[in-house]
Amino acid sequence: MGKVKTRFAPSPTGYLHLGNARTAIFSYLFARHTGGDFVLRIEDTDRERSRKEYENMLIEDLKWLGIVWDEFYRQSERFDIYKEYVDKLLAEGYAYPCFCSPEELEKEREEAKKKGVPYRYSGKCRKLSPEEVEKLKNEGKSFTIRFKVPENKTIVFKDLIKGSIAINTDDFGDFIIVRSDGTPTYNFVVVVDDALMGITHVIRGEDHIPNTPKQILIYEALGFPVPKFAHLPVILGEDRSKLSKRHGAVSVRAYREEGYMPEALFNYLCLLGWSPPEEDREIFSKEELIEIFDLKDVNDSPAVFNREKLKWMNGVYIREVIPIDVLIDRAIPFLKKAGYDVSDRDYIKKVLSHTKDSFDTLSEMIERLKPFFVDEVQIEEELWSFLEDSKAQEVLTLFLQKIEGNKPESPEEVKKIAKEIQKTLKVKPPHVWKPLRIALTGELEGVGIDILIAILPKEKIEKRIKRVLEKIA
Ligand code: GLU
């Protein structure tokens, strides 16, 4: 195999969808695995639907995922090149101008519908003589340019994932390669670009299988070598319908904002449709994936997206993979957004080192770590009854006395004090922990209370407990 070159070719018409992100990842990994190059190409020839903001977001999200490209192109900057190839197709009789109006075409479409047959263009303008074409152009009639599709020809290609695929040209008919506003269409420019950029492997979603025979015809008409195709299986939601907004967040951006680690999302998306050679392993770094990823291990059946599994994997990354300083860098914007004080990095480090096993995402972290960062905690009405108990008051009072001189600085020391209180007051462990937890966190469950006491500054502990004691006195 010569040097491989792959590409990811998103249209900037929306957020980067998880399915497209997986396509980008597989194309990137295959290029890197084989020592080849990877191209990012923004497919923005559709003026109406493309937006610069989406392009910026796509680029940011790809970078965030850790995808690195060797070459970058924007189709809207290549119109001159496409024009050259349209002219070539016209001159050589592979394409022709079509003057049919949208109304006429709509009529054709309706007739096909009535007859219950799939629509394809009648080919009416194919028969126009050069003089007629000239005349219509002179009259200023707007036109598109269509590719002349040979009739009843079966196009066969060998897909690296799906195997041999055969599609008859009668299924689609003459298709538009230049719109009436002069902009070229996807099926045409994709061929010109893939050929001129030297793409060897076209890796994309299986929804593009019906486009492939159209593209092969254009490759042949322009005398370009046909690349290899690898169409990735669709991603389904858990109800086995195509993954969409109905299934919840489906954009990379949404996961990023939710506090997912890019490495975890990258890793998880790889497992959608690809099986690692080592069966019992699921956690892989990007470098390891580059080492082992191969298209031959991509399955041809649909992959099911499991949100819970992704969340679990993110938790594994937070707990075991991401270095603490990187985690802090990523946590700070979230803490800040929640209004927490982030001026003391050492404090954040202490908190995160002790608590990072208690949340799976950074937005969960915000809730979980509230008692470490807020000034005062809110205690729900129904929890006051636990504090009004006379034993609870004794526990809290004794605890305050115990920490007066020296505040415990480790969970072990906190546990030791709790044991002493149990002994002195002759109470069971929950009678010590529960009032402390409610007074210090306002909640019945949450982060380890021994950890909270060990880390929280003494004044905050005293303030929270005194406030409770004053209220119930
Ligand atoms: N712009 C197309 C898309 O976003 C690219 C398809 C392809 O990879 O050929 O679906």
Side-chain angles (χ1 to χ4, degrees):
M1 188 161 58
K3 189 165 170 151
V4 164
K5 198 169 187 183
T6 65
R7 66 359 177 236
F8 175 54
S11 304
T13 55
Y15 291 104
L16 180 61
H17 182 280
L18 293 177
N20 283 338
R22 184 199 54 174
T23 301
I25 291 172
F26 283 12
S27 304
Y28 166 74
L29 287 177
F30 185 65
R32 290 289 175 267
H33 174 72
T34 52
D37 284 338
F38 175 67
V39 171
L40 174 61
R41 184 173 71 225
I42 302 294
E43 302 213 320
D44 58 349
T45 61
D46 186 340
R47 284 194 186 130
E48 263 168 46
R49 296 179 58 229
S50 303
R51 297 258 184 293
K52 190 76 190 163
E53 306 89 85
Y54 286 130
E55 177 188 315
N56 294 341
M57 288 198 273
L58 283 170
I59 291 175
E60 268 181 34
D61 290 347
L62 289 169
K63 282 188 180 161
W64 177 77
L65 274 173
I67 294 177
V68 184
W69 45 94
D70 306 292
E71 293 170 32
F72 176 84
Y73 301 94
R74 195 179 282 117
Q75 287 185 328
S76 58
E77 291 165 1
R78 298 168 58 81
F79 281 153
D80 289 349
I81 301 174
Y82 307 135
K83 176 143 193 325
E84 204 182 296
Y85 287 94
V86 173
D87 291 345
K88 189 168 187 262
L89 289 178
L90 284 168
E92 292 175 10
Y94 286 109
Y96 62 93
C98 167
F99 295 90
C100 292
S101 66
E103 295 73 36
E104 284 173 273
L105 295 174
E106 190 48 44
K107 232 177 166 176
E108 284 191 359
R109 211 166 270 131
E110 264 167 31
E111 263 161 38
K113 206 167 160 192
K114 255 192 240 152
K115 283 190 203 142
V117 293
Y119 169 70
R120 41 177 278 220
Y121 174 57
S122 62
K124 194 172 145 201
C125 291
R126 242 195 213 220
K127 301 167 199 103
L128 294 175
S129 65
E131 296 73 31
E132 284 170 307
V133 167
E134 219 29 56
K135 188 171 161 264
L136 289 165
K137 277 190 181 168
N138 287 339
E139 283 169 12
K141 235 183 149 205
S142 83
F143 61 94
T144 59
I145 293 174
R146 288 186 187 265
F147 186 81
K148 216 182 264 176
V149 173
E151 266 170 54
N152 192 16
K153 182 174 169 188
T154 300
I155 313 280
V156 184
F157 64 97
K158 197 174 162 295
D159 189 275
L160 293 177
I161 295 165
K162 302 267 164 191
S164 180
I165 296 179
I167 298 178
N168 192 282
T169 52
D170 284 355
D171 288 353
F172 49 88
D174 296 353
F175 55 92
I176 294 177
I177 58 172
V178 180
R179 300 179 189 91
S180 57
D181 67 359
T183 57
T185 61
Y186 160 70
N187 274 315
F188 171 64
V189 289
V190 77
V191 171
V192 174
D193 279 348
D194 283 339
L196 297 185
M197 292 169 193
I199 302 301
T200 58
H201 293 71
V202 169
I203 301 169
R204 60 187 173 195
E206 70 176 12
D207 49 324
H208 284 291
I209 289 177
N211 288 323
T212 308
K214 296 181 185 173
Q215 295 171 12
I216 290 174
L217 288 170
I218 299 177
Y219 277 105
E220 288 171 350
L222 290 173
F224 289 139
V226 180
K228 293 196 164 64
F229 293 100
H231 286 96
L232 306 175
V234 65
I235 302 180
L236 305 178
E238 269 164 272
D239 60 355
R240 302 199 71 84
S241 69
K242 195 169 177 214
L243 185 67
S244 73
K245 278 199 190 119
R246 283 188 305 112
H247 299 100
V250 287
S251 68
V252 167
R253 185 139 301 226
Y255 286 90
R256 183 175 166 180
E257 285 170 356
E258 188 68 33
Y260 277 77
M261 300 292 114
E263 298 84 353
L265 188 58
F266 189 107
N267 187 158
Y268 178 73
L269 290 175
C270 278
L271 301 178
L272 293 181
W274 169 76
S275 313
E278 227 179 296
E279 270 171 21
D280 290 337
R281 239 186 102 187
E282 289 183 311
I283 307 293
F284 299 97
S285 68
K286 188 171 92 177
E287 290 66 33
E288 288 171 315
L289 288 163
I290 288 174
E291 189 68 34
I292 57 177
F293 180 86
D294 203 332
L295 282 176
K296 71 174 172 31
D297 298 317
V298 175
N299 314 314
D300 65 357
S301 46
V304 177
F305 176 70
N306 181 334
R307 201 172 296 278
E308 277 310 305
K309 174 118 188 233
L310 167 59
K311 190 162 170 284
W312 163 82
M313 190 173 277
N314 200 57
V316 173
Y317 269 79
I318 288 179
R319 286 192 293 281
E320 298 167 21
V321 182
I322 306 295
I324 188 73
D325 277 303
V326 175
L327 187 63
I328 297 169
D329 289 342
R330 291 178 184 174
I332 284 177
F334 281 80
L335 297 168
K336 221 178 194 170
K337 199 166 164 220
Y340 301 164
D341 177 6
V342 293
S343 56
D344 186 349
R345 191 178 170 99
D346 287 341
Y347 180 69
I348 298 175
K349 187 167 191 164
K350 220 193 267 177
V351 174
L352 287 183
S353 317
H354 281 90
T355 58
K356 64 183 179 141
D357 58 352
S358 69
F359 48 84
D360 288 329
T361 66
L362 296 180
S363 43
E364 271 185 15
M365 168 192 77
I366 293 302
E367 267 313 297
R368 198 80 182 167
L369 301 189
K370 214 175 188 171
F372 287 93
F373 290 96
V374 290
D375 260 340
E376 272 187 30
V377 296
Q378 295 297 323
I379 300 174
E380 296 287 327
E381 206 57 51
E382 65 263 28
L383 297 185
W384 279 102
S385 58
F386 292 106
L387 298 170
E388 278 152 7
D389 170 84
S390 64
K391 274 281 179 253
Q393 294 176 40
E394 283 180 53
V395 166
L396 292 177
T397 311
L398 185 53
F399 181 79
L400 273 186
Q401 282 169 18
K402 294 237 174 230
I403 67 165
E404 204 173 351
N406 260 330
K407 198 213 98 177
E409 297 287 347
S410 71
E412 292 68 38
E413 285 173 60
V414 177
K415 282 186 197 132
K416 211 176 121 221
I417 294 183
K419 276 229 173 77
E420 289 166 12
I421 297 177
Q422 279 168 45
K423 251 195 185 154
T424 316
L425 299 179
K426 299 195 174 43
V427 289
K428 295 217 159 64
H431 291 108
V432 177
W433 293 117
K434 210 172 189 173
L436 279 172
R437 173 178 291 284
I438 297 171
L440 294 172
T441 70
E443 287 155 5
L444 270 184
E445 290 175 354
V447 70
I449 194 71
D450 49 343
I451 295 170
L452 179 69
I453 294 169
I455 296 175
L456 202 64
K458 188 163 170 240
E459 316 78 67
K460 277 201 183 174
I461 297 179
E462 287 177 339
K463 197 170 150 200
R464 287 181 201 176
I465 294 179
K466 278 182 186 157
R467 184 180 144 239
V468 166
L469 287 173
E470 272 161 27
K471 225 168 162 182
I472 53 182

